[in-house]
Amino acid sequence: MIRVRFAPSPTGFLHIGGLRTCLYNWLFARKNKGKLILRIEDTDRERFLPESIFNLLKTLEECGLDWDEGPVLSSKNTIKQKGRYGPYIQSQRLKIYQNFAKKLVDLGAAYYCFCSKQRLEELRKTQISLKIPPRYDKHCRNLSPEQVKKNLKSNIPYVIRLKVPDQGKIKFKDIIRGEIEFELKNIDDQILLKSDGWPTYHLASVVDDHLMKISHIIRGEEWLSSVPKHLLIYNALKWKPPKMAHLPLLLNPDLSKLSKRKGDVSVESFLQKGYLPEALLNFIALLGWNPGNDEEIFSLKQLIRLFSLKKVGKSGAVFNREKLLWMNGYYIRKMPIDKLAKYCLKFLIQEELITPIHNKKTKFKITATGEIVQINWLKKIIALEQERLKELKQIVELSEFFFKEPKYEAELLFWKKMTKNQVKENLESIKTEFSKIPISKFKKPFLEEIILKLAEKRGRGEVFWPLRAALTGKKASPPPLEIAEILGREKTIQRIDKAIKML
Ligand code: GLU
């Protein structure tokens, strides 16, 4: 049975690289009819943020990824756990790790270290000044059993360290990278259990991967250097290590490691800006994996069918934000209007352009004017902007003028070298003609007939430009007649009037 895990540390937000790791595990599990386990690695208490577990579960759910075992959010927004290998939150498994740490000591694969913080600090300083890599000097490695017993009896604080052989090599076969060999002499005697009884990542993840019957570990390349330490633990306990695949690093376009400093990298912030989960997943699926041709748009279903660890590359994958933006725009354009409206309404409400009316799903209030509008009217606006949206949150900026009087300077009304009089006359003619149209016919085809006639006489730009500016206060917008239709006769004329008065 294929069993894979995603094992994030809840130290804040979910990094986009974490989402890729989760996605690849998910695809691998779904493709092979295996199980995906979510495990929360919260043993680093200094970096732990309690609310981040909750956020993590919510974000993964929002992205549409699911898992078979591990913590899940219940309908009451509390955290439950499902699966028979739990608990899946490491802070709830301390006893297990403590027992295995002791077992490793008994087996001679680990040892008690009683060195004080101060001694370790001095050691580190000396090593740095001598320009040798800071590392534990194995001071306690050969304490006699009597000495150890005595120290334990006198309650001297201790940690448990891995006893890394002084020489020799350890190797393993990575699914993506092939055979990899490590010199043991370069490896530190890693702390496995800290003096407060908490395990380090290394001990906890090996113990859990074994007890949770993980068959394949798929994770980022940054964990590759931990593998020899883990293998020593597996070997000592006579456990069979899972197969491993280390995914290529994610890079900025300048090939530095993708990090917070060069812009947002949290999945939460991408979702908040209005990246669609399907676009995000499609985009990150291609960060390291490729289908072997130059196709780029894939649904999750297609990805499950095509995904293979064999097609994951070794070299770093560049995180190209423009491409993500393009892909998001693509998915937005393809989206049925009802679904798109659901997403966009959230942003319009959040930015207080509209206010939901209690208990009504189809009616909203325009916040600035108090006017009640139907959802179908809002859908027309959204459909009009659909082509231009790349991030959903742009709906706010793009459509604001439908909900508030636009603010602009009179200069905006001038097309090229038009004189003030020309602009005024043109706007006045539009106003006169528009006023003659009955409300029921205030629709694009009728408006077009009139405007095209005017444009023939007065010039296209000379007619369309001032009209667009008057209605939107912007240089660029969807076609002004469609806007006029949505705004309706009264508002359209009001805005034209206001523009005339500005001149
Ligand atoms: N807790 C580690 C992390 O934060 C997991 C590493 C692993 O997958 O072994 O990414």
Side-chain angles (χ1 to χ4, degrees), residues 63-81:
C63 288
L65 296 178
D66 58 350
W67 49 98
D68 306 289
E69 295 172 28
V72 277
L73 284 180
S74 74
S75 51
K76 291 188 202 99
N77 267 349
T78 53
I79 294 173
K80 288 190 310 194
Q81 300 197 38

Side-chain angles (χ1 to χ4, degrees), residues 47 127 177 209 213 264 325 469 501 503:
R47 295 174 59 220
Q127 288 171 331
R177 281 148 218 281
D209 284 339
K213 300 210 171 2
D264 273 332
L325 199 60
K501 293 205 175 97
L503 291 159

Side-chain angles (χ1 to χ4, degrees), residues 5 7-9 41 201 219 223:
R5 86 306 194 265
S9 298
E41 301 206 328
Y201 154 72
R219 65 182 161 202
W223 303 101

Side-chain angles (χ1 to χ4, degrees), residues 5-11 18 21 25 39-43 47 90 201 205-206 209 217-220 222-223 226 230 246:
R5 86 306 194 265
F6 175 50
S9 298
T11 54
T21 303
N25 276 286
R39 183 170 75 222
I40 303 294
E41 301 206 328
D42 58 346
T43 58
R47 295 174 59 220
Q90 290 188 327
Y201 154 72
S205 81
V206 168
D209 284 339
I217 293 176
I218 304 169
R219 65 182 161 202
E222 61 274 31
W223 303 101
S226 303
H230 298 180
H246 287 86

